[in-house]
């Protein structure tokens, strides 16, 4: 049986594959996994769900409408084929959309399913509402930790959740570890809610 000193830190990470900032944070989390003893659990949330009923600029509304497909397919893969496919499918989708710079969602989904060895038929869930109840449940599990006035990613460390961190470029190696260690300290402070400054740089994909 593990002692308190040797127990893994549990990290729950909620993402929408359409979000470039969640992508940056997920690359940092991969680095953390290589240098710290963490159990990272990947969950789907949805900017489309988050922004339902909001008055949005036309360009962003079009992005939200398009974003349903990938999260629905991710949830279908999870429900029908298991948790083990969530992160690899996210990686495949995100690599094409973010560093790859692509926006052809249907092709991205088809190629990503093929890459991770999932049936091509799962793509049909992208235009179906069949998995929406499960999608909403996953989304609300994450957003309930942080409130409705944030976005993705949501990162919870041993059950204490925050929006972010929002970072660019993604720290590597011990730099990634130091940032994580700081967040572990922050989550241990009852009543700590927010640090923020204006972003002056866009996502740097490498």
């Amino acid at each position: 049986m593990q002692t308190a000193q040797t127990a893994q830190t549990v990290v729950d990470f909620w993402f929408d594959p359409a979000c470039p900032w969640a992508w940056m944070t997920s690359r940092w989390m991969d680095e953390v996994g290589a240098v710290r003893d963490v159990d990272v659990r990947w969950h789907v949330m949805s900017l489309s769900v988050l922004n339902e009923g909001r008055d949005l600029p036309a360009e962003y509304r079009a992005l939200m409408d398009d974003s349903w497909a990938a999260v629905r397919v991710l949830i279908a893969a999870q429900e029908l084929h298991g948790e083990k496919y969530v992160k690899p499918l996210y990686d495949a989708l995100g690599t094409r959309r973010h560093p790859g710079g692509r926006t052809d969602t249907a092709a991205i989904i088809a190629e990503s399913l093929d890459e991770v060895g999932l049936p091509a038929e799962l793509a049909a869930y992208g235009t179906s509402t069949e998995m929406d109840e499960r999608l909403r449940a996953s989304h609300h599990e994450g957003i309930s930790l942080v409130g409705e006035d944030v976005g993705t990613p949501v990162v919870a460390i041993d059950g204490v959740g925050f929006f972010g961190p929002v970072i660019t470029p993604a720290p590597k190696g011990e730099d990634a570890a130091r940032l994580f260690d700081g967040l572990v300290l922050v989550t241990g402070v009852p009543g700590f809610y927010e640090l923020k400054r204006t972003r002056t740089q866009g996502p740097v994909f490498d």
Side-chain angles (χ1 to χ4, degrees), residues 66-83:
D66 182 66
S67 297
W68 282 104
V71 290
R72 285 168 166 164
V73 170
L74 273 158
I75 288 291
Q78 178 183 22
E79 291 295 298
L80 301 176
H81 297 276
E83 298 275 351

Side-chain angles (χ1 to χ4, degrees), residues 12-195:
D12 289 284
F13 191 113
W14 279 267
F15 65 89
D16 184 320
C19 179
W21 293 105
W23 178 255
M24 298 303 302
T25 308
S26 71
R27 301 310 93 183
W28 161 73
M29 198 67 245
D30 284 346
E31 289 287 319
V32 171
V35 292
R36 289 292 183 269
D37 187 17
V38 292
D39 176 15
V40 185
R41 303 169 184 179
W42 300 89
H43 311 274
V44 181
M45 65 180 292
S46 171
L47 291 173
S48 301
V49 172
L50 184 66
N51 286 288
E52 279 183 318
R54 296 182 179 179
D55 185 17
L56 302 173
E59 183 178 355
Y60 194 66
R61 170 55 61 196
L63 176 62
M64 293 300 94
D65 291 344
D66 182 66
S67 297
W68 282 104
V71 290
R72 285 168 166 164
V73 170
L74 273 158
I75 288 291
Q78 178 183 22
E79 291 295 298
L80 301 176
H81 297 276
E83 298 275 351
K84 66 181 181 180
Y85 284 103
V86 174
K87 180 58 161 51
L89 185 54
Y90 175 39
D91 289 343
L93 293 163
T95 297
R96 289 166 171 80
R97 182 168 292 275
H98 301 303
R102 292 172 54 185
T103 58
D104 49 336
T105 298
I108 288 171
I109 289 172
E111 292 172 18
S112 298
L113 289 171
D114 181 65
E115 179 181 319
V116 302
L118 285 167
E121 291 76 16
L122 282 178
Y125 285 97
T127 55
S128 166
T129 60
E130 184 175 343
M131 291 289 174
D132 281 10
E133 184 177 352
R134 180 65 191 92
L135 170 61
R136 291 174 186 278
S138 181
H139 172 86
H140 287 298
E141 183 182 9
I143 211 71
S144 68
L145 299 175
V146 294
E148 296 285 341
D149 57 341
V150 298
T152 176
V154 170
V155 176
I157 298 175
D158 288 335
V160 179
F162 287 95
F163 164 60
V166 177
I167 45 177
T168 189
K172 293 180 169 56
E174 282 303 314
D175 288 339
R178 281 192 291 271
L179 175 57
F180 180 74
D181 293 343
L183 288 175
V184 171
L185 291 175
V186 163
T187 58
V189 179
F192 180 88
Y193 292 102
E194 186 174 3
L195 278 174

